[in-house]
Amino acid sequence: MRLRVEFTTEPFDLDEAPAHAVVAREIVQSADLDAVDVGPFGNTAEGGADEVLTAVDSLLRKALASGATRVSLQVNVIGEDSK
């Protein structure tokens, strides 16, 4: 199964990326995912179910530990693995 996750962390700071946002982005950028798009108001990542769910677990734990007061995310099934 292939998944897409979309997420944001709060609180926002338009002048400088807060630590929780930086940590969350670093997690998805370093994960074994097929596609990652980071932006100032939202981020997306795609990959196999195990890889996405592992990244989401780490993202939630580390973003909250780094000061996030809210993490909004949506996970969608986008297809089946080609294996």
Side-chain angles (χ1 to χ4, degrees):
M1 178 181 323
R2 294 188 47 73
L3 302 177
R4 174 183 297 126
V5 62
E6 301 174 38
F7 68 92
T8 58
T9 61
E10 296 180 40
F12 293 115
D13 183 341
L14 296 177
D15 294 326
E16 183 177 337
H20 57 80
V22 172
V23 165
R25 290 178 186 162
E26 288 174 350
I27 289 166
V28 295
Q29 289 175 323
S30 66
D32 187 21
L33 300 172
D34 300 330
V36 175
D37 182 30
V38 297
F41 300 109
N43 309 282
T44 62
E46 297 179 7
D50 288 340
E51 291 78 13
V52 170
L53 295 174
T54 297
V56 166
D57 177 67
S58 182
L59 181 154
L60 289 171
R61 292 174 189 279
K62 293 181 180 178
L64 293 169
S66 296
T69 57
R70 179 179 182 155
V71 179
S72 301
L73 65 93
Q74 179 173 318
V75 179
N76 296 302
V77 175
I78 58 171
E80 294 299 320
D81 286 332
S82 58
K83 297 177 187 175

